[in-house]
Amino acid sequence: RRNVDLLAAGGADVIVTGQQPGFLGGPLYTLYKTATCIAAAEARSAAGRPTVPLFWSGDDDDDLREAFAPCVFDPRRRAFLHPVQPVPATALSVGALAASLAGAGEAAWLTEQAATTPLARRLAQLWRSAIADGASWGRLHRRALLLLFGRSGLLTISGDDARLHAVAAPLYARILEDAPGLSALAAHRGEQLVAGGYHAQIGAES
């Protein structure tokens, strides 16, 4: 609440990280990125520059293959468990998938693990509640992040929020005015990153 008030008053900077929802929270680097964002915000705040950590959920993404690529090592079975990718309606985004569809396997595994730690028990309850409430998979994953990191001041936002798109309308208009120029710049920067040994973050087509 304090961080929301700080942002509303224009009294804080923001550090943003993010990732699309993924099986059981997605790849481990999702948690690493979130923790790093929080640590960086805390360091800036301690140095006198109030900073809020924000996780941008890419739940407007439609790459279902990526969302269901992660796997989990099950210590009881001593095996890697892979999700069964649900078959959604055409063009449905990752976050719009029903928790009852995309999260059913997650809920079953977490329920098995509930006896092992208090955290597993709380997560299992969260998954069961989301399924019972008819929540989307994106909303479920944002709730899970807040359960894990909310006490550190983390805020989450849905990339598919209609109000967010309305605020961004002027930016979208600018992008559409020079889409070919921006595409060329993205391609050029991607080539520079690849030449430096990195990965091209944004494809020219995107």
Side-chain angles (χ1 to χ4, degrees):
R1 184 71 257 175
R2 182 181 66 251
N3 280 349
V4 170
D5 292 341
L6 274 172
L7 290 178
D13 294 337
V14 182
I15 293 182
V16 182
T17 190
Q19 183 69 24
Q20 68 170 181
F23 178 59
L24 281 173
L28 187 57
Y29 64 67
T30 301
L31 297 180
Y32 181 79
K33 288 162 71 173
T34 307
T36 301
C37 179
I38 292 168
E42 288 177 347
R44 285 173 57 89
S45 297
R49 296 194 62 178
T51 305
V52 174
L54 177 70
F55 186 93
W56 184 296
S57 175
D59 49 7
D60 55 337
D61 198 329
D62 60 1
D63 191 345
L64 298 180
R65 182 186 300 179
E66 181 181 354
F68 291 96
C71 60
V72 61
F73 181 75
D74 186 328
R76 185 170 70 84
R77 295 181 176 83
R78 300 192 61 79
F80 285 98
L81 302 184
H82 299 268
V84 177
Q85 180 173 321
V87 182
T90 304
L92 197 63
S93 68
V94 170
L97 292 170
S100 59
L101 179 68
E106 298 172 321
W109 186 80
L110 286 167
T111 298
E112 283 187 0
Q113 301 300 310
T116 61
T117 66
L119 176 58
R121 187 162 56 251
R122 292 181 68 191
L123 287 169
Q125 182 180 3
L126 179 67
W127 253 256
R128 289 195 298 267
S129 296
I131 291 173
D133 294 344
S136 68
W137 204 45
R139 184 177 179 86
L140 168 58
H141 278 256
R142 293 194 303 277
R143 286 178 176 175
L145 275 174
L146 291 176
L147 187 151
L148 294 171
F149 295 107
R151 291 186 178 182
S152 300
L154 180 74
L155 301 179
T156 66
I157 192 168
S158 166
D160 204 23
D161 191 315
R163 295 164 298 179
L164 186 67
H165 290 300
V167 170
L171 174 61
Y172 293 159
R174 287 177 55 197
I175 290 172
L176 292 174
E177 286 172 2
D178 189 24
L182 289 174
S183 180
L185 286 172
H188 177 64
R189 184 60 179 143
E191 292 168 359
Q192 290 178 322
L193 287 168
V194 171
Y198 300 99
H199 174 68
Q201 294 296 302
I202 301 175
E205 298 80 7
S206 298

